[in-house]
Amino acid sequence: MSELHDFINRDVAKWYPDLMKHIKLTLVEAGPGILGSFDKALSDYYLQKLAEKNIDVRLNTAVAGIDERYIEGEQITVAKFKDGSEVNFGCMVWSAGLKSVKLISNSTLPLDRDRVVVDEYLRVPDTKGTV
């Protein structure tokens, strides 16, 4: 999200300054937080940085559907959320299904919540540093 923000504010702003008033970034997360596999302090830090960049972060918000509407002859695309709120958008980047691939879940590697267990040096225990 930060890279997209930087691209918009550095490059798009330079190339298409008239569009900037129409651009808003919103991060929608169905769960209670972001970066769930990282320490909570890092997640909280990143949420603070997103807020400083005026990125709208909506936690505990699930997408219920996408609608197309016409207002004064103009097509508007709307994301509808389960809490009843809505966001108009022109471009949506969707990332969903953060589950490990079958290669990992079918492996003999030690797993914790479908994630490979590693030590502080990102080595898999009992593999003598080979994995």
Side-chain angles (χ1 to χ4, degrees):
M1 185 60 100
S2 291
E3 288 296 323
L4 182 57
H5 174 271
D6 291 347
F7 170 70
I8 289 168
N9 286 282
R10 291 181 186 161
D11 300 319
V12 174
K14 180 172 47 177
W15 302 326
Y16 306 102
D18 296 343
L19 293 180
M20 292 305 294
K21 64 184 174 191
H22 301 289
I23 297 175
K24 179 178 181 183
L25 293 176
T26 303
L27 187 151
V28 179
E29 170 56 47
I34 60 171
L35 302 176
S37 61
F38 292 91
D39 186 87
K40 183 166 176 8
L42 181 60
S43 174
D44 291 344
Y45 174 81
Y46 188 56
L47 282 171
Q48 177 187 340
K49 291 300 175 186
L50 293 174
E52 288 171 10
K53 294 179 179 193
N54 294 318
I55 295 173
D56 179 20
V57 177
R58 297 178 181 219
L59 302 177
N60 296 307
T61 305
V63 177
I66 304 295
D67 256 352
E68 289 187 4
R69 300 181 185 152
Y70 291 88
I71 299 173
E72 298 178 11
E74 184 178 335
Q75 180 181 344
I76 305 293
T77 309
V78 180
K80 299 171 70 174
F81 305 115
K82 286 189 178 178
D83 66 4
S85 63
E86 299 180 342
V87 170
N88 298 343
F89 69 92
C91 177
M92 175 185 284
V93 178
W94 184 285
S95 172
L98 300 174
K99 185 172 171 43
S100 62
V101 294
K102 289 185 180 189
L103 173 70
I104 299 299
S105 57
N106 292 337
S107 75
T108 59
L109 297 171
L111 302 176
D112 178 23
R113 297 182 352 213
D114 284 334
R115 297 180 183 120
V116 177
V117 176
V118 296
D119 65 16
E120 65 271 18
Y121 300 104
L122 300 179
R123 297 177 301 195
V124 176
D126 302 321
T127 62
K128 299 179 183 173
T130 60
V131 179

